[in-house]
């Protein structure tokens, strides 16, 4: 049987509030994001491991607050007074721990945004007191910021996320596929997106339905 040609069609990443699924591991963080106008000092750190949903929840907050989102690594070349004129989210702050220019810009953005009365959201991995920012004044301000912690998805949430990702692609896997994936795959939202995309391509190329055997094959290949 000849293989069917497959096309890498773009799939829209849904970043709205209705697309963010709440579970015990992220419920507190979600409630803090939704109560953004009551943040102590007007600022919050959103922290968690890769794939826990930081980017998604940052976009949820930006939609609610009318905020801009910038990468910390780009701050050295940014117009800080302009950024400080409204709500602002800075992603991956720990990545500038050794970048003196970016840290100085982050320090000024922090102070100016809050002085202007605009909320500031900062994201990164791990507790902010351990971000190791080389500018002591910046580290002290970040370390003293309240933190919302995202945990990796539990079985229930990962199962729901996989079901939604398959549905978004109009895919109908066999009933034992999602439980099998939830038990054996890496536990993160990013891994779930990658897995569904690979299975979609595999099914299209082989012209076969999504089965547990196909899932096992893909999982084995991903682990190599």
């Amino acid at each position: 049987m000849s293989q069917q040609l497959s096309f890498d069609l773009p799939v829209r990443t849904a970043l709205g509030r209705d697309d963010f699924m709440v579970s015990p591991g992220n419920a507190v963080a979600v409630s803090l994001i939704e109560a953004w106008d009551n943040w102590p000092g007007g600022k919050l750190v959103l922290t968690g491991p890769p794939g826990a949903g930081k980017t998604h929840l940052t976009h949820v907050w930006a939609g609610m607050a009318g905020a801009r989102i910038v990468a910390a690594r780009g701050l050295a070349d940014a117009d800080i007074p302009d950024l400080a004129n409204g709500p602002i989210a800075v992603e991956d702050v720990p990545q500038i721990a050794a970048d003196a220019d970016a840290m100085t810009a982050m320090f000024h953005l922090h102070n100016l945004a809050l002085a202007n009365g605009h909320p500031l959201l900062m994201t990164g991995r791990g507790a902010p007191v351990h971000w190791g920012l080389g500018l002591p004044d910046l580290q002290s301000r970040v370390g003293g910021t309240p933190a919302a912690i995202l945990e990796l998805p539990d079985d229930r949430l990962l199962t729901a996320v996989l079901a939604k990702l398959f549905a978004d692609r109009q895919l109908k896997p066999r009933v034992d596929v999602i439980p099998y994936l939830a038990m054996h795959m890496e536990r993160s939202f990013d891994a779930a997106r990658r897995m569904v995309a690979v299975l979609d391509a595999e099914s299209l190329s082989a012209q076969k339905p999504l089965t547990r055997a196909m899932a096992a094959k893909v999982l084995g290949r991903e682990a190599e």
Side-chain angles (χ1 to χ4, degrees):
M1 179 184 295
S2 62
Q3 286 193 325
Q4 179 176 332
L5 291 175
S6 60
F7 299 90
D8 188 14
L9 299 176
V11 176
R12 184 182 65 88
T13 300
L15 295 173
R17 173 63 184 85
D18 291 342
D19 301 299
F20 193 91
M21 299 181 183
V22 181
S23 74
N26 62 32
V28 172
V30 171
S31 66
L32 287 170
I33 287 293
E34 291 180 335
W36 62 273
D37 50 349
N38 291 317
W39 290 346
K43 59 181 180 175
L44 184 76
V45 164
L46 182 62
T47 181
K54 294 188 297 295
T55 295
H56 191 157
L57 203 51
T58 297
H59 280 265
V60 169
W61 177 73
M64 293 188 297
R68 283 189 281 182
I69 302 173
V70 297
R73 288 179 295 180
L75 288 177
D77 299 318
D79 184 337
I80 299 302
D82 179 61
L83 291 178
N85 274 333
I88 185 72
V90 184
E91 292 192 295
D92 301 316
V93 175
Q95 292 185 4
I96 63 171
D99 186 333
D101 291 339
M103 284 189 290
T104 299
M106 179 73 236
F107 176 74
H108 291 308
L109 177 59
H110 172 284
N111 293 345
L112 191 55
L114 298 183
N116 290 342
H118 299 302
L120 170 66
L121 178 67
M122 297 171 281
T123 77
R125 304 179 189 178
V129 294
H130 298 138
W131 282 1
L133 298 168
L135 183 62
D137 286 342
L138 175 61
Q139 178 59 56
S140 67
R141 283 162 173 75
V142 172
T145 302
I149 302 172
L150 288 172
E151 299 177 3
L152 290 174
D154 55 22
D155 286 347
R156 181 178 178 183
L157 180 56
L158 186 57
T159 296
V161 168
L162 286 166
K164 183 181 185 306
L165 291 170
F166 279 122
D168 286 346
R169 291 173 175 265
Q170 299 182 322
L171 298 174
K172 296 181 179 180
R174 296 285 173 81
V175 293
D176 57 351
V177 170
I178 291 177
Y180 179 81
L181 288 173
M183 181 178 296
H184 295 284
M185 65 177 284
E186 175 190 326
R187 309 191 65 77
S188 76
F189 294 127
D190 287 345
R193 294 186 189 99
R194 292 196 306 270
M195 184 58 59
V196 171
V198 171
L199 284 169
D200 187 6
E202 185 81 13
S203 176
L204 181 61
S205 175
Q207 301 183 56
K208 293 181 179 180
L210 290 170
T211 63
R212 175 171 167 167
M214 182 180 291
K217 175 184 175 183
V218 169
L219 280 169
R221 194 165 61 215
E222 292 287 308
E224 291 177 354

